[in-house]
Amino acid sequence: MELKSNHSSPVLTDPIPVNNSRLGIHSNLLSYQQSGGSLSSGKYMTIPRKKPGKLEDVWSNGWLEAMRSSSPPRKRLIKDKDFTIEAAADDFDIAYCSWMIKYPSALKSFDQILKNAKNKKVAVFLDYDGTLSPIVDDPDRAFMSDSMRSAIRDVAKYFPTAIISGRSRDKVYELVGLTELYYAGSHGMDIMGPVSHAESGDHPNCIRSTDQQGKEVNLFQPAREFIPMIDEVLKTLVENTKDIKGANVENHKFCTSVHYRNVEEKNWPTIAQRVHDILKDYPRLRLTHGRKVLEIRPVIDWNKGKAVEFLLESLGLSDRDDVLAIYIGDDKTDEDAFKVFRERNLGYGILVSSVPKESNAFFSVRDPSEVKKFLKALVTWKKFEKA
Ligand SMILES: O=P(O)(O)OC[C@H]1O[C@H](O[C@H]2O[C@H](CO)[C@@H](O)[C@H](O)[C@H]2O)[C@H](O)[C@@H](O)[C@@H]1O
């Protein structure tokens, strides 16, 4: 991949930064910064074996509670030799139905959505895991179905479309495999977007690049200076969790994930404490919770919501009354986008959830199969509108 810079200092390799201003990190991106943090603790080669910490830490800071509630239980099924059906109405279903009054089905509300989309340019933003692919035990096997891929390809024919994932941009591109879309990895900290329009392209952390097809794109990586630190913490995490059966550390370049889905619940306090102890040495990294995953990321003020705003601006779709954006996601990190959608009245956030949970989304769908139905319905509407 060729890299060209539209700034005086092209960043072709991952630099070890000296200070923030030299790297052009906007001070507002560092609003989470805590004092006393250094860019690296300087332990690139030796991985310290941490002394076991006190388990009270992770109890008292709420990590364990968040871990326990971090992923919905799978739906109860009634099995018979000839059929499998979801459990008949019970307390859970009643709770789900009343929850849906607040977050109505995007499929059932489709006409209302279309009414507001009429004569507007629609842009589509999609999360990956749990939205386009079902949640599975092995993150490397979270494949999207061919029918979902074809639905997304069709959506991208008619609407500007981007996938915004917690995974690394390369990984999510590898899983999706479509060139027709824009991709943002590492929770929006690695965006490959269009070059046209917008001041967003003049941002100090933007560099001109080319994508796999040789098309000119803008590469926006507001956390570049953290790459060496993330690399260092990743190695320490791998080393210090390797004796915990089922623990899995994933590298996303600008952030890292520690999965505990396959760790026995009795060992969750141990994994939480190990991560907690490591993070104590990195005041410029913070922890967020995902679905049975602890996510470690830079303290910069950047998230999926900011990534959507950035992409809308790059697409020339910002601050326009004739634009309606749709964001579909299932996870806590998608809430940052739903919040921006509400605050800026950008369009509709749609939460993917089969259990009731509080959200900033407007609508809901149950699972990826309903996401696919919704995407197909959008395409059918557009085709019909054009005909
Ligand atoms: O923003 P996303 O695209 O939703 O990515 C969020 C995390 O997704 C992946 O983990 C989740 O899905 C896995 C596969 O189904 C599952 O095993 C895991 O328990 C879930 O947390 C991905 O592996 C993470 O790195 C992403 O941060």
Side-chain angles (χ1 to χ4, degrees):
M1 179 181 291
E2 183 199 350
L3 285 179
K4 289 184 216 152
S5 172
N6 50 2
H7 296 284
S8 52
S9 145
V11 185
L12 296 174
T13 55
D14 296 329
I16 297 176
V18 176
N19 63 40
N20 302 329
S21 54
R22 184 176 75 72
L23 286 154
I25 295 272
H26 272 189
S27 56
N28 64 357
L29 286 179
L30 291 164
S31 64
Y32 281 100
Q33 188 172 346
Q34 297 165 32
S35 60
S38 61
L39 282 172
S40 164
S41 59
K43 295 171 286 190
Y44 290 100
M45 302 314 292
T46 51
I47 296 168
R49 182 78 203 165
K50 293 269 164 191
K51 280 198 217 119
K54 285 185 272 132
L55 289 184
E56 300 93 77
D57 292 345
V58 289
W59 281 112
S60 59
N61 68 9
W63 281 27
L64 280 172
E65 207 186 309
M67 286 168 81
R68 296 225 156 95
S69 61
S70 76
S71 201
R74 284 176 183 149
K75 185 94 174 111
R76 189 154 65 85
L77 298 175
I78 295 173
K79 290 195 179 188
D80 183 85
K81 68 177 172 38
D82 299 321
F83 61 85
T84 300
I85 54 165
E86 285 184 357
D90 55 12
D91 289 353
F92 173 82
D93 293 312
I94 293 163
Y96 191 78
C97 289
S98 48
W99 174 79
M100 283 186 77
I101 296 170
K102 194 166 169 198
Y103 306 98
S105 158
L107 291 173
K108 293 196 177 125
S109 315
F110 199 68
D111 287 348
Q112 184 195 333
I113 295 174
L114 291 191
K115 221 164 110 193
N116 287 318
K118 204 166 177 338
N119 301 322
K120 288 191 179 156
K121 194 161 173 65
V122 173
V124 178
F125 297 92
L126 303 163
D127 165 54
Y128 183 77
D129 287 278
T131 297
L132 302 180
S133 67
I135 293 292
V136 292
D137 286 343
D138 179 356
D140 287 334
R141 302 201 58 78
F143 302 123
M144 195 168 88
S145 66
D146 285 343
S147 56
M148 179 66 96
R149 185 167 294 104
S150 123
I152 298 167
R153 185 185 287 115
D154 286 346
V155 166
K157 264 187 219 156
Y158 292 99
F159 314 103
T161 304
I163 295 189
I164 305 188
S165 173
R167 290 179 182 260
S168 74
R169 182 168 48 78
D170 288 348
K171 182 71 195 178
V172 79
Y173 174 70
E174 186 189 311
L175 288 165
V176 175
L178 294 171
T179 55
E180 297 87 340
L181 340 166
Y182 301 108
Y183 292 88
S186 308
H187 300 292
M189 289 181 285
D190 186 8
I191 304 178
M192 194 176 259
V195 277
S196 53
H197 309 99
E199 288 154 25
S200 58
D202 300 327
H203 197 287
N205 289 299
C206 248
I207 49 175
R208 280 289 160 83
S209 177
T210 47
D211 68 8
Q212 280 85 350
Q213 288 66 50
K215 195 172 73 199
E216 263 207 296
V217 288
N218 248 344
L219 196 55
F220 181 64
Q221 298 177 327
R224 280 191 78 81
E225 62 161 321
F226 286 87
I227 294 172
M229 189 191 281
I230 293 291
D231 199 43
E232 180 182 286
V233 88
L234 173 94
K235 288 183 186 135
T236 312
L237 286 165
V238 169
E239 181 60 29
N240 289 14
T241 58
K242 70 179 184 201
D243 61 327
I244 303 174
K245 198 165 164 242
N248 175 10
V249 182
E250 223 182 340
N251 180 11
H252 306 306
K253 191 169 176 180
F254 299 97
C255 54
T256 186
S257 299
V258 181
H259 291 275
Y260 57 92
R261 180 171 296 279
N262 302 317
V263 172
E264 271 190 75
E265 197 165 337
K266 67 172 181 1
N267 293 327
W268 289 5
T270 310
I271 195 166
Q273 191 62 49
R274 299 262 177 96
V275 175
H276 180 270
D277 289 345
I278 292 166
L279 277 189
K280 274 200 263 188
D281 291 344
Y282 294 90
R284 298 190 69 230
L285 299 180
R286 66 185 171 117
L287 180 114
T288 54
H289 293 268
R291 297 179 72 168
K292 303 239 187 293
V293 66
L294 302 171
E295 317 252 30
I296 290 106
R297 46 163 134 177
V299 289
I300 63 166
D301 184 17
W302 196 263
N303 55 40
K304 289 186 174 188
K306 302 247 177 195
V308 169
E309 288 179 306
F310 180 89
L311 278 162
L312 282 172
E313 196 180 331
S314 316
L315 289 160
L317 302 177
S318 224
D319 299 319
R320 281 174 46 175
D321 293 340
D322 62 341
V323 170
L324 183 116
I326 291 172
Y327 186 104
I328 314 182
D330 72 313
D331 207 348
K332 287 203 185 100
T333 58
D334 300 308
E335 290 298 328
D336 293 322
F338 295 150
K339 194 157 170 263
V340 167
F341 267 58
R342 270 196 192 264
E343 285 168 2
R344 294 198 47 198
N345 203 15
L346 296 178
Y348 298 120
I350 302 175
L351 175 70
V352 186
S353 183
S354 57
V355 294
K357 58 180 176 192
E358 270 311 300
S359 173
N360 272 303
F362 278 90
F363 296 109
S364 67
V365 287
R366 267 179 190 263
D367 51 29
S369 74
E370 287 202 357
V371 173
K372 188 170 73 187
K373 275 189 199 155
F374 181 84
L375 296 176
K376 284 181 158 185
L378 268 183
V379 170
T380 308
W381 163 68
K382 196 68 189 174
K383 277 186 186 160
F384 185 71
E385 198 196 33
K386 283 195 153 196

